[in-house]
């Protein structure tokens, strides 16, 4: 099931995302005793992370039962300004009582194929999976690049067609570097996917992804369709300017 929620501005998108995070987290803890979330990177989610690090949201979350993963990472040290881990650490993780052992940072220094296998092993171990099973994250946050990429699944790359690995390390030609990323099957087995898309620079790509011809190799975000989970797009007025009326 896909839902598109349009809010006035980035702050409202972040507040709605915080409300939904709390809701999903409370339901997950009630149902299974824990809440597993995969964070997205880039710039958009930092507003959300800062909200969660403060009241009224902070005290509504059982941080000791929260397990934090990342959906993708850049090939930089965890201290680098471009690190998705560093952004989340500074905006959220340093400000909440999250046990260190509940934080599963993606390998990022150097990045080799073995790193994808080791992170997949971490996921299997946490979710107690055998080799045929996919993890069911309670929540995966995603953003949308202006080229239609999501996580680090970039257009026209092997990441779009990899339906067997959980995690992939691969060279992204347009970036001239490697990325590590969840693959589409991991995204699509999540219980909840929350896209956060804001700003006028995303208006064209959002309309292509949502209303345009289905071309997932060109627009990988179009291949995000949960098997039996819920997909919600939280978008602001600027990003939704080109969407068809609904
Ligand atoms: C990354 C992200 C990526 C991001 C989009 C949108 O590592 O860059 O995971 O998928 O969500 O590029 O980024 P912005 O939110 O900065 O526009």
């Amino acid at each position: 099931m896909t839902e598109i929620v349009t809010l006035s501005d980035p702050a409202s998108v972040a507040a709605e995302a915080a409300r939904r995070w709390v809701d999903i987290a409370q339901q997950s803890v009630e149902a299974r005793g824990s809440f597993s979330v995969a964070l997205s990177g880039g710039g958009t989610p930092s507003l959300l992370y800062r909200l969660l690090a403060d009241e009224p949201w902070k005290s509504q979350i059982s941080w000791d039962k929260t397990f934090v993963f990342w959906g993708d990472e850049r090939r930089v040290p965890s201290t680098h300004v471009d690190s998705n881990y560093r952004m989340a650490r500074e905006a959220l993780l340093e400000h909440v009582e999250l046990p260190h052992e509940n934080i599963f940072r993606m390998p990022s220094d150097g990045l080799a194929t073995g790193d994808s296998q080791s992170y997949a092993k971490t996921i299997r171990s946490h979710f107690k999976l055998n080799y045929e099973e996919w993890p069911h994250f309670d929540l995966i946050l995603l953003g949308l690049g202006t080229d239609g990429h999501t996580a680090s699944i970039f257009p026209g790359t092997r990441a779009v067609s990899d339906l067997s690995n959980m995690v992939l390390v691969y060279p992204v030609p347009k970036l001239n570097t490697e990325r590590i990323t969840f693959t589409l099957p991991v995204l699509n087995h999540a219980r909840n996917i929350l896209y956060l898309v804001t700003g006028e620079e995303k208006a064209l790509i959002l309309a292509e992804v949502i209303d345009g011809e289905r071309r997932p190799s060109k627009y990988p975000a179009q291949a995000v369709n949960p098997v039996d989970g819920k997909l919600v797009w939280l978008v602001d007025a600027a990003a939704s300017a080109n969407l068809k009326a609904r």
Side-chain angles (χ1 to χ4, degrees):
M1 184 192 95
T2 301
E3 182 185 0
I4 300 172
V5 179
T6 302
L7 297 127
S8 52
D9 54 27
S12 308
V13 166
E16 179 64 15
R19 190 185 68 74
R20 289 170 182 258
W21 172 305
V22 167
D23 208 26
I24 293 166
Q26 289 177 345
Q27 286 173 24
S28 303
V29 168
E30 198 172 311
R32 289 173 296 280
S34 66
F35 167 60
S36 57
V37 57
L39 303 182
S40 63
T44 304
S46 59
L47 264 181
L48 163 62
Y49 300 160
R50 293 185 195 289
L51 284 183
L52 294 170
D54 207 348
E55 298 307 344
W57 311 104
K58 183 176 180 178
S59 56
Q60 296 183 60
I61 296 165
S62 304
W63 294 105
D64 60 324
K65 297 183 177 70
T66 297
F67 296 85
V68 177
F69 296 76
W70 276 260
D72 72 316
E73 187 55 280
R74 290 88 180 272
R75 183 182 186 272
V76 293
S78 59
T79 52
H80 192 280
V81 66
D82 290 343
S83 163
N84 290 337
Y85 167 80
R86 173 177 160 180
M87 185 272 277
R89 178 170 54 76
E90 290 176 346
L92 174 58
L93 306 183
E94 286 175 346
H95 309 285
V96 295
E97 299 298 311
L98 189 66
H100 181 72
E101 61 272 18
N102 290 23
I103 300 172
F104 302 94
R105 182 177 75 83
M106 260 186 167
S108 61
D109 299 68
L111 275 189
T113 305
D115 293 315
S116 56
Q117 291 153 4
S118 72
Y119 202 65
K121 190 175 173 195
T122 299
I123 294 169
R124 283 199 181 88
S125 166
H126 175 74
F127 288 97
K128 300 180 178 57
L129 303 176
N130 63 39
Y131 269 81
E132 287 72 49
E133 293 175 300
W134 295 103
H136 297 285
F137 282 90
D138 294 306
L139 173 61
I140 295 182
L141 297 176
L142 289 176
L144 177 66
T146 52
D147 60 356
H149 83 261
T150 194
S152 281
I153 303 172
F154 282 84
T157 69
R158 55 192 282 215
V160 181
S161 54
D162 187 330
L163 304 180
S164 52
N165 294 302
M166 275 193 195
V167 184
L168 185 63
V169 168
Y170 75 109
V172 181
K174 72 175 287 188
L175 302 179
N176 193 28
T177 183
E178 286 74 19
R179 284 286 184 99
I180 181 170
T181 186
F182 280 0
T183 57
L184 284 163
V186 172
L187 303 183
N188 287 331
H189 280 83
R191 292 191 175 91
N192 294 277
I193 294 176
L194 208 44
Y195 263 104
L196 278 63
V197 186
T198 62
E200 60 183 357
E201 72 279 5
K202 300 289 175 74
L204 285 177
I205 189 61
L206 186 63
E208 282 291 343
V209 167
I210 300 288
D211 293 329
E213 181 191 348
R214 184 166 162 67
R215 302 161 67 186
S217 180
K218 184 173 171 58
Y219 303 130
Q222 288 183 332
V224 176
N225 295 295
V227 174
D228 54 16
K230 191 173 172 189
L231 169 58
V232 177
W233 291 82
L234 298 182
V235 301
D236 72 353
S240 63
N242 295 30
L243 287 182
K244 288 179 184 163
R246 279 169 163 75

